Amino acid sequence: MWGGRFAGGPADVMRDINASISFDKRLWRQDLAGSQAHAAMLGAQGIVEPADIAAILGGLETITAEYAEGRLVEDPALEDIHMHVETRLAELIGPVAGRLHTARSRNDQVATDFKLWTRDAVDAVDAGLGALQAALLARAEEHADTVMPGFTHLQIAQPVTLGHHLMAYVEMVRRDRSRFRDARARLNECPLGSAALAGTGFPIDRAATARALGFDRPTANSLDSVSDRDFALEFLSAAMMAGMHLSRLAEEIIVWASQPYGFVKLPDAFSTGSSIMPQKRNPDAAELVRGHSGRLLGCLVALSVTMKGLPLAYSKDMQDDKPPVFEAYDLLSLALAAMTGMIETLAFVPERMRAVAALGFSTATDLADWLVREAGVPFREAHHITGRAVAAAEAAGVGLAELKLETLAGIDARIDARVFDVLSVDASVASRTSQGGTAPVRVREAIAAAKDTL
Ligand code: ARG
C-alpha cells in the first residue's frame, strides 16, 4: 500500500502486531455499507466518473455476497478489513478500485464502521433487555401475592412479595435500556468525510453519506471525528452497569437455590451436576453471569485506559478499541440470554419463602406502627416497646404473633387484642400500600404500568 515511500517490507512481528483482521473482520458488513454510501456520493458529486462508480458498486456487491457466504480470506499482510475489501475489489474490477479511496481515509472509515456496528449492538442488547423484562414481569405477575422475607444487610427485615422483588429488577433493566438509548442518540453522527483528520478538498456531500447510513447528521469537527471513541466507552459503561445488575440477580438466585434458603429449585436446563457428588445441582449459569460482570468491567477499564493519554487525532492504539467492545457485547448477550432463560424456568418455593418470611420477628415494625397509629405513641417510644416485645418472644422461643396478649399487655398496657391483626406476614405486606410499596395491589399496578410501557 505504501510501496511508493518504503523500500523494504515489514518484519514478521511488525506484520503480526499491526494486523487487526482477526477481529475487525466482524465489521465487514458495516465496511461495505460505508463504502457503498461513499462511492454513491462520489458519483453523485461528479468526483468519480459514473462508469467507474458503477464498476465499484458492482464489485462491492459481489464482495458482500462472498463475505455473507463466509468467503473472506484472511491475510495478515493486508492488515485490516478495509484493506481486505479494497484488495478484493481490485482483484474483481482492476485499478479503477483505487478510485474508491478518494476523499476518505481509513481513519474516518473505521470510525464510521465501528459506530455502525455499535449502533446495531445497542439495538440487539436492547431487545435482549426487553426480553428479560418480559420474563421478569410474567413471573412477578404470577407471584404478586407470594410472601417472602425482605432483607437488609442480608438479615430478615420485613416481609415483601416476590412480585415486588422481581419488579425491582424490571426497574434496573428499565434504566439500563435508557442508558443504551442515550448512548445511541449521541453516537448517531457520521464521521465519514472527515478523511485522515483535516477533512478533504474534494467537494463531498457529508449530509448525503450520513443520511444513506442512517445517521442523524454528519459530525461537526474532523479531528474529533477520527479520534472520538466516546460511543464505544458509553456502550461499555452501559454494558458494565447492565452486567452488574445481572450479577446481583444471579447472586440472589445462587443464594436462594442454596439448601439453607431453599427459595428456588434450579431447572435442569440451567444447572449442572458434579462429577463426584451425585446429589449435586449447581447454579453454574448464574455463577457465570456473575463472573461475566467482572469481565465486562474489565472491558470498560481496558478501553478507558487505552484512550486516556491519546493526543489528537488518530493513533494506532485505537485499533485496540474493538476487542473489548466485541467481547463485552458477546458476554452481555450470553448473560442476558442465560438470565432470561433462568427467570423463565426457575421453580419458586412459596411455602419455604413464607415460612422464612415469618422468622426474625419480621413484623416488629408493624407492631411499632400499630402503637403509633392506634395508641398515639411517638415512633421512637414505640420502637423501644417493640424491642422489649421482641426480647420476650426471643426468650420464649416464639414469633411475635405467638406471644400471649398478657405478655404484650404486660410490656405496655396500651396494647390490646387488635394488635394480632397486624402481626401476620400477609397483613404486613398488605398494609404497605404507599406508592412503590410491596402491597400486592401496588405490585399489580406496577406490573400493569410496566406492561404498558413495554
Ligand atoms: N485498522 C485500523 C484501526 O482499527 C484502521 C485505521 C488505520 N489508520 C491508520 N492511520 N493506520 O484503527
Side-chain angles (χ1 to χ4, degrees):
M1 190 183 10
W2 32 76
R5 169 78 176 79
F6 282 47
D12 286 354
V13 66
M14 178 58 203
R15 196 198 54 209
D16 291 345
I17 195 174
N18 207 31
S20 54
I21 187 61
S22 64
F23 52 86
D24 68 19
K25 60 186 173 197
R26 273 181 88 154
L27 300 176
W28 72 265
R29 232 177 240 291
Q30 291 75 19
D31 196 71
L32 282 155
S35 286
Q36 273 158 351
H38 184 67
M41 182 278 293
L42 290 176
Q45 294 298 103
I47 299 168
V48 176
E49 292 296 320
D52 292 348
I53 291 301
I56 288 170
L57 288 174
L60 292 173
E61 214 167 290
T62 306
I63 298 173
T64 305
E66 287 177 357
Y67 286 5
E69 286 168 14
R71 288 194 282 134
L72 186 162
V73 186
E74 266 181 67
D75 177 359
L78 293 175
E79 275 194 54
D80 54 27
I81 185 61
H82 325 295
M83 296 313 299
H84 277 69
V85 171
E86 197 174 321
T87 304
R88 181 66 188 135
L89 189 62
E91 283 168 11
L92 290 170
I93 65 170
V96 70
R99 298 198 186 279
L100 174 60
H101 214 54
T102 312
R104 77 170 185 189
S105 150
R106 282 188 295 161
N107 295 350
D108 60 339
Q109 219 183 329
V110 73
T112 305
D113 293 2
F114 199 23
K115 274 191 165 185
L116 287 171
W117 188 92
T118 304
R119 195 174 71 187
D120 287 347
V122 165
D123 292 344
V125 167
D126 184 66
L129 289 166
L132 175 59
Q133 278 182 315
L136 286 163
L137 270 173
R139 299 312 301 270
E141 191 158 40
E142 192 185 319
H143 290 286
D145 302 281
T146 301
V147 173
M148 69 176 288
F151 299 90
T152 59
H153 315 267
L154 202 56
Q155 303 287 311
I156 293 173
Q158 292 174 349
V160 295
T161 55
L162 176 56
H164 196 52
H165 196 116
L166 294 173
M167 286 302 289
Y169 285 94
V170 171
E171 285 299 301
M172 293 180 224
V173 176
R174 185 178 60 76
R175 292 193 296 274
D176 289 329
R177 293 181 77 180
S178 92
R179 266 183 283 274
F180 278 107
R181 249 196 313 277
D182 287 352
R184 192 192 198 286
R186 255 188 305 281
L187 81 67
N188 210 29
E189 295 183 340
C190 185
L192 195 60
S194 300
L197 76 167
T200 175
F202 291 100
I204 59 172
D205 182 350
R206 292 194 60 206
T209 44
R211 214 178 310 113
L213 295 169
F215 286 104
D216 296 330
R217 65 191 77 84
T219 50
N221 179 296
S222 62
L223 288 166
D224 177 49
S225 305
V226 297
S227 71
D228 165 39
R229 293 295 180 272
D230 290 4
F231 62 93
L233 286 165
E234 285 196 55
F235 176 83
L236 288 172
S237 121
M240 179 277 288
M241 197 99 76
M244 177 272 285
H245 290 149
L246 291 175
S247 178
R248 295 182 69 178
L249 182 51
E251 169 67 9
E252 304 221 79
I253 292 171
I254 293 161
V255 169
W256 290 351
S258 176
Q259 289 81 354
Y261 276 77
F263 290 1
V264 294
K265 291 216 166 59
L266 295 168
D268 287 355
F270 288 96
S271 17
T272 57
S274 155
S275 56
I276 177 170
M277 296 167 284
Q279 85 287 8
K280 285 298 286 287
R281 172 181 282 276
N282 295 326
D284 293 39
E287 290 171 303
L288 286 163
V289 168
R290 189 176 58 183
H292 283 8
S293 74
R295 292 173 63 191
L296 284 166
L297 172 59
C299 293
L300 171 60
V301 171
L303 185 55
S304 304
V305 177
T306 295
M307 293 306 297
K308 79 172 183 62
L310 299 186
L312 293 180
Y314 177 86
S315 299
K316 196 62 174 261
D317 316 41
M318 289 163 69
Q319 180 163 281
D320 280 344
D321 58 0
K322 287 167 281 297
V325 173
F326 292 159
E327 183 184 4
Y329 172 76
D330 292 341
L331 288 170
L332 182 57
S333 303
L334 257 178
L336 274 171
M339 184 53 83
T340 303
M342 276 189 282
I343 293 297
E344 280 167 349
T345 53
L346 276 178
F348 292 105
V349 188
E351 321 77 68
R352 174 72 186 151
M353 291 186 175
R354 162 176 290 273
V356 177
L359 300 179
F361 315 104
S362 64
T363 57
T365 317
D366 298 273
L367 172 54
D369 288 350
W370 184 89
L371 282 161
V372 171
R373 218 170 34 240
E374 303 298 332
V377 180
F379 183 78
R380 279 292 156 225
E381 192 188 337
H383 185 285
H384 189 80
I385 295 164
T386 304
R388 292 178 56 206
V390 168
E394 194 165 36
V398 297
L400 278 178
E402 284 92 53
L403 278 175
K404 292 201 168 52
L405 179 57
E406 305 92 83
T407 311
L408 285 167
I411 291 168
D412 193 289
R414 288 168 289 188
I415 301 178
D416 62 45
R418 292 173 302 151
V419 78
F420 291 107
D421 295 343
V422 303
L423 294 183
S424 75
V425 292
D426 290 292
S428 174
V429 295
S431 74
R432 298 227 147 63
T433 53
S434 55
Q435 197 237 314
T438 197
V441 291
R442 288 287 167 267
V443 173
R444 286 189 206 288
E445 277 170 18
I447 292 167
K451 276 184 165 176
D452 268 0
T453 52
L454 270 178

Coordinates of all heavy atoms in Angstrom, one line a residue, residues 211-247:
R211 N -26.9 10.4 5.7 CA -28.3 10.0 5.5 C -28.4 8.6 5.0 O -29.1 7.7 5.5 CB -29.0 10.9 4.5 CG -30.4 11.2 4.8 CD -31.1 12.2 3.7 NE -30.3 13.4 3.5 CZ -29.7 13.8 2.4 NH1 -29.7 13.0 1.3 NH2 -29.1 14.9 2.3
A212 N -27.5 8.3 4.0 CA -27.5 6.9 3.4 C -27.3 5.8 4.5 O -27.7 4.7 4.4 CB -26.5 6.8 2.3
L213 N -26.5 6.2 5.5 CA -26.1 5.2 6.5 C -27.0 5.3 7.8 O -26.7 4.7 8.8 CB -24.6 5.4 6.9 CG -23.6 5.1 5.7 CD1 -22.2 5.6 6.1 CD2 -23.6 3.6 5.4
G214 N -28.0 6.1 7.7 CA -29.0 6.1 8.8 C -28.5 7.0 10.0 O -29.0 6.8 11.1
F215 N -27.5 7.8 9.8 CA -27.1 8.7 10.8 C -28.0 10.0 10.8 O -28.6 10.3 9.8 CB -25.6 9.2 10.6 CG -24.6 8.1 10.9 CD1 -24.0 7.4 9.9 CD2 -24.3 7.8 12.2 CE1 -23.0 6.4 10.2 CE2 -23.4 6.8 12.5 CZ -22.7 6.1 11.5
D216 N -28.1 10.6 12.0 CA -28.9 11.8 12.1 C -28.3 13.0 11.4 O -29.0 13.9 10.9 CB -29.1 12.2 13.6 CG -29.9 11.1 14.3 OD1 -30.7 10.4 13.7 OD2 -29.7 11.0 15.5
R217 N -27.0 13.1 11.3 CA -26.2 14.2 10.7 C -24.8 13.8 10.7 O -24.3 12.9 11.4 CB -26.4 15.5 11.6 CG -25.8 15.4 13.0 CD -26.3 16.5 13.9 NE -27.6 16.3 14.4 CZ -27.9 15.6 15.5 NH1 -27.0 15.0 16.2 NH2 -29.2 15.4 15.8
P218 N -24.0 14.6 9.9 CA -22.5 14.4 10.0 C -21.9 15.0 11.3 O -22.5 15.9 11.9 CB -22.0 15.2 8.8 CG -23.2 15.7 8.1 CD -24.3 15.6 9.0
T219 N -20.8 14.5 11.7 CA -20.1 15.0 12.9 C -19.6 16.4 12.5 O -19.5 16.8 11.3 CB -18.9 14.2 13.3 OG1 -18.1 13.9 12.1 CG2 -19.4 12.9 13.9
A220 N -19.3 17.2 13.5 CA -19.0 18.7 13.3 C -17.5 19.0 13.1 O -17.2 20.0 12.5 CB -19.6 19.5 14.5
N221 N -16.7 18.2 13.7 CA -15.2 18.5 13.7 C -14.4 17.3 13.2 O -14.5 16.2 13.9 CB -14.8 19.0 15.1 CG -13.4 19.3 15.2 OD1 -12.5 18.5 15.0 ND2 -13.1 20.6 15.5
S222 N -13.6 17.5 12.2 CA -12.9 16.3 11.6 C -11.9 15.7 12.5 O -11.8 14.5 12.6 CB -12.3 16.7 10.3 OG -11.3 17.7 10.5
L223 N -11.2 16.5 13.3 CA -10.2 16.0 14.3 C -10.9 15.1 15.3 O -10.5 14.0 15.6 CB -9.5 17.1 15.0 CG -8.5 17.9 14.1 CD1 -8.1 19.2 14.9 CD2 -7.3 17.1 13.9
D224 N -12.0 15.7 15.9 CA -12.8 14.9 16.9 C -13.3 13.6 16.3 O -13.3 12.6 16.9 CB -13.9 15.8 17.4 CG -14.8 15.1 18.4 OD1 -14.2 14.5 19.3 OD2 -16.0 15.1 18.2
S225 N -13.8 13.7 15.0 CA -14.5 12.6 14.4 C -13.6 11.4 14.3 O -14.1 10.3 14.5 CB -14.9 13.0 13.0 OG -15.7 14.1 13.0
V226 N -12.3 11.6 14.0 CA -11.5 10.4 13.8 C -10.8 9.9 15.1 O -10.2 8.9 15.2 CB -10.4 10.6 12.7 CG1 -11.0 10.9 11.4 CG2 -9.4 11.8 13.1
S227 N -11.0 10.7 16.1 CA -10.3 10.4 17.4 C -11.3 10.0 18.5 O -10.9 9.6 19.6 CB -9.4 11.5 17.9 OG -10.1 12.6 18.3
D228 N -12.6 10.3 18.2 CA -13.6 10.0 19.3 C -13.9 8.6 19.4 O -14.3 7.9 18.4 CB -14.9 10.8 18.9 CG -16.1 10.4 19.7 OD1 -15.9 10.1 20.9 OD2 -17.2 10.3 19.1
R229 N -13.8 8.0 20.6 CA -14.3 6.7 20.9 C -15.3 6.7 22.1 O -15.5 5.7 22.7 CB -13.2 5.7 21.1 CG -12.3 5.4 19.9 CD -13.1 4.7 18.8 NE -12.3 4.4 17.6 CZ -12.0 5.3 16.6 NH1 -12.6 6.4 16.6 NH2 -11.2 4.9 15.6
D230 N -15.9 7.9 22.3 CA -16.8 8.0 23.4 C -18.0 7.0 23.3 O -18.5 6.4 24.2 CB -17.5 9.4 23.5 CG -16.5 10.5 23.9 OD1 -15.3 10.2 24.1 OD2 -16.9 11.7 24.1
F231 N -18.4 6.8 22.0 CA -19.5 6.0 21.8 C -19.2 4.5 22.2 O -20.1 3.8 22.8 CB -20.0 6.0 20.3 CG -18.9 5.5 19.4 CD1 -18.9 4.2 19.0 CD2 -17.9 6.3 18.9 CE1 -17.9 3.7 18.1 CE2 -16.9 5.9 18.0 CZ -16.9 4.6 17.6
A232 N -18.0 4.1 22.0 CA -17.6 2.8 22.4 C -17.5 2.7 24.0 O -18.0 1.7 24.6 CB -16.2 2.4 21.8
L233 N -17.0 3.8 24.6 CA -16.9 3.8 26.0 C -18.3 3.9 26.7 O -18.6 3.3 27.7 CB -16.1 5.0 26.5 CG -14.6 4.8 26.2 CD1 -13.8 6.1 26.3 CD2 -14.0 3.7 27.2
E234 N -19.2 4.6 26.0 CA -20.6 4.7 26.6 C -21.3 3.3 26.5 O -22.0 2.9 27.4 CB -21.4 5.7 25.8 CG -21.0 7.1 26.3 CD -22.1 8.1 25.8 OE1 -23.3 8.0 26.2 OE2 -21.7 9.1 25.1
F235 N -21.0 2.6 25.4 CA -21.6 1.3 25.2 C -21.0 0.4 26.3 O -21.8 -0.3 27.0 CB -21.2 0.7 23.8 CG -21.6 -0.7 23.6 CD1 -22.9 -1.0 23.2 CD2 -20.8 -1.8 23.9 CE1 -23.4 -2.3 23.1 CE2 -21.2 -3.1 23.7 CZ -22.5 -3.4 23.3
L236 N -19.7 0.5 26.5 CA -19.1 -0.4 27.5 C -19.6 -0.1 28.9 O -19.8 -0.9 29.8 CB -17.6 -0.3 27.5 CG -16.9 -0.9 26.3 CD1 -15.4 -0.6 26.2 CD2 -17.1 -2.4 26.3
S237 N -19.8 1.2 29.2 CA -20.2 1.6 30.5 C -21.7 1.2 30.8 O -22.0 0.7 31.8 CB -19.9 3.1 30.8 OG -21.0 3.8 31.1
A238 N -22.5 1.3 29.7 CA -23.9 0.8 29.9 C -23.9 -0.7 30.0 O -24.7 -1.3 30.8 CB -24.7 1.2 28.7
A239 N -23.0 -1.4 29.3 CA -22.9 -2.8 29.4 C -22.4 -3.3 30.7 O -22.9 -4.2 31.3 CB -22.0 -3.4 28.3
M240 N -21.4 -2.5 31.3 CA -20.9 -2.9 32.6 C -22.1 -2.8 33.6 O -22.2 -3.6 34.5 CB -19.8 -1.9 32.9 CG -19.1 -2.1 34.3 SD -20.0 -1.3 35.6 CE -19.6 0.4 35.3
M241 N -22.8 -1.7 33.5 CA -23.9 -1.5 34.5 C -25.0 -2.5 34.4 O -25.5 -3.1 35.4 CB -24.5 -0.1 34.3 CG -25.3 0.4 35.4 SD -24.4 1.5 36.5 CE -24.4 3.0 35.5
A242 N -25.3 -2.9 33.1 CA -26.3 -3.9 33.0 C -25.8 -5.2 33.5 O -26.5 -6.0 34.1 CB -26.7 -4.1 31.5
G243 N -24.5 -5.5 33.2 CA -23.9 -6.7 33.7 C -23.9 -6.8 35.3 O -24.1 -7.8 35.9
M244 N -23.7 -5.6 35.9 CA -23.7 -5.5 37.3 C -25.1 -5.9 37.9 O -25.2 -6.6 38.9 CB -23.2 -4.1 37.7 CG -23.2 -3.8 39.2 SD -24.8 -3.2 39.8 CE -24.8 -1.5 39.1
H245 N -26.1 -5.4 37.2 CA -27.5 -5.8 37.6 C -27.7 -7.3 37.5 O -28.3 -7.9 38.3 CB -28.5 -5.0 36.8 CG -28.5 -3.5 37.1 ND1 -28.8 -2.5 36.2 CD2 -28.3 -2.9 38.3 CE1 -28.8 -1.3 36.8 NE2 -28.4 -1.5 38.1
L246 N -27.3 -7.8 36.3 CA -27.5 -9.2 36.1 C -26.7 -10.0 37.2 O -27.2 -11.1 37.6 CB -26.9 -9.6 34.7 CG -27.7 -9.1 33.5 CD1 -27.0 -9.5 32.2 CD2 -29.1 -9.7 33.5
S247 N -25.6 -9.5 37.6 CA -24.8 -10.2 38.6 C -25.5 -10.2 39.9 O -25.4 -11.2 40.7 CB -23.4 -9.5 38.7 OG -22.6 -10.1 39.7

